[in-house]
Amino acid sequence: MLNETKTEFTEEERKVLGEYVTNTAGNIFAWKLGEKLDSESSGALLSRYSRSAMTSREIFLKEFLPNRSKGREFFNAWLIDYGDDSIQEMAGGIPVSTEYISNVAAKELEDSRLASYIEKSSRYVQFDKQIPGFGYPFYKGSDITESRLGTEYLELMQSLFDSYSRSIPVMADYIKKENPLEKQKFQIGREIVSGSEAIKHADSLGLSAEDLQKAYERSIKASALDIMRDYLPMSTLTHVGVSANARSYEHMILKLMASSLKESNGIGKGINDELKKIAPSLIRRVEEEHGRESIKYMQTCEYETRMAVSKAIASMNRDGSKPISIKPGQKTDSSTISLTNYTGKEYFKPDMEAVAVLVGTIIYVRENSLSLSESIKTARALPESDANAIIGAYVGERKNRRQRPGRAFENISYTFDMKGTVGAYRDLQRHRMITQERKLFNTEHGYVLREQYKAIGISEDYSEKMGRAADLHKKMSKELSPEQAQYAVTFGYNARWYINTNARELFHLAELRTTPAGHPDYREMVQTVHKLVRDVHPSMAKQMNFVNMDDTKLGRLSSEIRIAVKSSKLKG
């Protein structure tokens, strides 16, 4: 984390910024809502983090200060016209910017689920831009750099970013060669169009040949960055915009201040200090006895739980050994997912029980004479045709994935044990309504070695870097702490976490994360999740009719072209 921004502002710019932010130099600051800055504008401003390498102050001075209608224009375009739902969350709460924080700290920050977050995307933003006087954007806290492992850490981080930076254009050229525009197929409206047709008749499709080429180039770059992010370490610095109410901020701050990471402690204190400037009474308890006791409680519980787990495991393995299927630093399959628990698991026909629970809860709300248990018993006794009719009426004719059925589906539960790349975890963590808990990021679960790396001749370099990362992680875990060792783990290593969710939320997860525009890693994982559900609850899975199981190469192309078409219409 950088304590101060490296952006140089003039005295006049700082004077202007002072009217809108709680400080003009620090890396953590709140935005002052009022007549000059409304929620619409602050939400749009923070949403720009996703696709911009600039800080939010820079974005404000360049885009929002000269155009007071920028916020409304942004939401009209990206929410109404382009259908980007996530940005809608950024308007409405107290806006805070946390800039130049590591991905390790960002994941701790975002573990507080009752808030909205948006951060720099590894798909749309290259992370190799060097910061003046600082170098590549990775965590350089004294707790690591001044340790005995400091030199080794700095050398590995530098090397990872060097490989990432020089390999991106090579990968982009390879992807372009393998996926020429004329051989692509994409959807415009309800029509499937080939690339060769689009090149010849671009104007008739609502965009120019130049716009078509730009959309193609953007999809190529996005694909290259999707693949090359495996090199990025969790120490990589990012910008995260936060929108939340005061109660959520209080809990977030206390969790960060209870963390064993020095960086997270600093972020928690920074958010608290900035919010005190605009809403001191709302977070006053953080620094009072309530806050101190809460921090001590969380720290004590975590420490005692780890000790209890270690003692219990040791008693089962008196020799201290534990089975590890994959050696640290060894390549492995990209993902492994298992469905460990689900509604009706103890029944011979779990799908029938899931249907009974679903239909029973639907009946319960609409039939005043029956208790819940009586409603479920009634559902079990219904003919299959009647049960299906009730489900069909309840789900209705969905026109798109945003039309999700009601809460009765929340009574059908699933627990998954997930293994996939750290990069995929970063994407799926955003589903905050799902219960997710992860192991500390580590190198024990192997890393992915992609075919594309072999194709462009970097597989040896990549494997060598992953081996060094595993060695450093092991040393840092022993000499510093397992928590600090997370900074050495790359996005290409596998994370392990569990997901506990329900069928209703699964509609959202499965239908959103299998769209062709999604990252291949999490698409494959969520497709597997859907297959596992289909195996045990076909009656639930078949209702998720917007799940896309296709294999796509340039999945982002259709979205980029759709945006180009709509942008052309807006300009027209």
Side-chain angles (χ1 to χ4, degrees), residues 89 114 160 176 194 232 266 338 344 378 406 450 502 520 528 558 569:
E89 297 180 14
L114 296 182
L160 286 167
K176 186 182 293 187
S194 70
L232 290 174
S338 59
T378 299
R450 303 183 191 276
N502 58 66
T528 300
S558 287
K569 290 179 180 178

Side-chain angles (χ1 to χ4, degrees), residues 130-371:
Q130 300 206 32
I131 303 169
F134 188 83
Y136 282 130
F138 63 86
Y139 180 72
K140 298 176 184 177
S142 60
D143 56 321
I144 295 178
T145 58
E146 294 181 9
S147 72
R148 194 180 70 82
L149 298 172
T151 300
E152 183 178 353
Y153 170 82
L154 291 171
E155 288 177 350
L156 175 59
M157 297 302 111
Q158 180 77 25
S159 181
L160 286 167
F161 275 92
D162 282 342
S163 293
Y164 167 80
S165 183
R166 67 170 174 261
S167 299
I168 290 171
V170 182
M171 182 61 72
D173 288 344
Y174 168 75
I175 295 172
K176 186 182 293 187
K177 182 180 178 181
E178 291 293 304
N179 302 276
L181 175 57
E182 58 269 17
K183 291 187 178 181
Q184 303 307 305
K185 289 187 177 181
F186 42 85
Q187 186 172 350
I188 298 181
R190 295 184 178 180
E191 186 177 358
I192 302 296
V193 181
S194 70
S196 56
E197 290 175 322
I199 293 170
K200 294 177 183 177
H201 310 292
D203 290 340
S204 65
L205 298 174
L207 74 165
S208 67
E210 181 183 3
D211 287 339
L212 175 63
Q213 185 63 34
K214 287 182 178 179
Y216 172 67
E217 295 291 342
R218 286 195 298 271
S219 69
I220 292 293
K221 183 176 180 181
S223 295
L225 293 180
D226 273 351
I227 295 170
M228 296 314 307
R229 75 178 185 180
D230 291 346
Y231 269 107
L232 290 174
M234 287 299 288
S235 63
T236 302
L237 301 183
T238 187
H239 303 330
V240 181
V242 187
S243 179
N245 60 38
R247 186 179 183 185
S248 294
Y249 271 122
E250 179 185 273
H251 181 63
M252 180 192 304
I253 291 167
L254 292 174
K255 283 184 69 175
L256 290 168
M257 294 178 75
S259 171
S260 60
L261 286 175
K262 177 183 176 182
E263 182 189 12
S264 294
N265 300 157
I267 294 170
K269 183 179 184 304
I271 294 174
N272 183 59
D273 289 346
E274 299 310 307
L275 290 179
K276 283 196 300 184
K277 298 175 184 178
I278 57 174
S281 63
L282 297 180
I283 57 166
R284 178 179 172 181
R285 297 189 301 177
V286 167
E287 296 178 351
E288 295 181 345
E289 185 176 2
H290 164 83
R292 293 191 294 271
E293 288 183 346
S294 295
I295 291 170
K296 183 178 180 180
Y297 169 77
M298 286 186 276
Q299 290 174 331
T300 301
C301 284
E302 177 60 24
Y303 175 78
E304 295 293 343
T305 301
R306 286 191 178 277
M307 292 299 100
V309 169
S310 296
K311 182 178 179 181
I313 296 299
S315 67
M316 295 179 67
N317 301 278
R318 293 299 181 184
D319 60 355
S321 65
K322 63 176 182 177
I324 298 178
S325 58
I326 298 169
K327 295 178 181 179
Q330 183 178 337
K331 74 179 183 68
T332 182
D333 294 335
S334 57
S335 65
T336 302
I337 301 170
S338 59
L339 177 58
T340 63
N341 203 5
Y342 50 89
T343 297
K345 183 179 180 180
E346 69 278 17
Y347 287 79
F348 178 65
K349 294 183 178 181
D351 188 51
M352 289 181 63
E353 179 60 16
V355 168
V357 172
L358 173 64
V359 173
T361 51
I362 294 172
I363 291 173
Y364 172 76
V365 174
R366 292 157 183 83
E367 178 51 63
N368 291 336
S369 63
L370 298 176
S371 68

Side-chain angles (χ1 to χ4, degrees), residues 336-340 415-419 496-499:
T336 302
I337 301 170
S338 59
L339 177 58
T340 63
T415 302
F416 299 92
D417 186 2
M418 310 284 287
K419 186 183 81 172
R496 287 293 297 269
W497 73 103
Y498 77 82
I499 283 178

Side-chain angles (χ1 to χ4, degrees), residues 394-396 398 403-410 503-504 507 543:
Y394 191 72
V395 174
R398 302 172 66 219
Q403 296 177 343
R404 286 189 287 160
R407 291 186 177 179
F409 277 93
E410 293 179 15
R504 189 177 189 223
F507 273 82
Q543 302 297 336

Side-chain angles (χ1 to χ4, degrees), residues 123 175 222-227 229 334-335 421 423-424 427 450 452 513-528 550-556:
R123 162 174 283 185
I175 295 172
S223 295
L225 293 180
D226 273 351
I227 295 170
R229 75 178 185 180
S334 57
S335 65
T421 62
D427 296 319
R450 303 183 191 276
Q452 295 94 328
R513 296 302 174 186
T514 60
T515 57
H519 192 288
D521 285 1
Y522 71 65
R523 281 198 80 224
E524 178 187 350
M525 294 184 72
V526 178
Q527 286 171 339
T528 300
D550 297 338
D551 182 23
T552 56
K553 299 300 181 184
L554 279 184
R556 187 64 202 168

Side-chain angles (χ1 to χ4, degrees), residues 5 7 45 48-64 99-100 120 125 129 238-239:
T5 179
T7 306
L45 175 61
R48 286 283 288 112
Y49 272 139
S50 177
R51 296 178 181 237
S52 176
M54 293 189 291
T55 67
S56 57
R57 295 189 190 99
E58 291 175 301
I59 294 170
F60 174 77
L61 291 173
K62 183 177 180 180
E63 300 178 10
F64 286 78
E99 299 182 343
Y100 299 111
K120 287 173 65 175
V125 181
K129 182 180 179 181
T238 187
H239 303 330

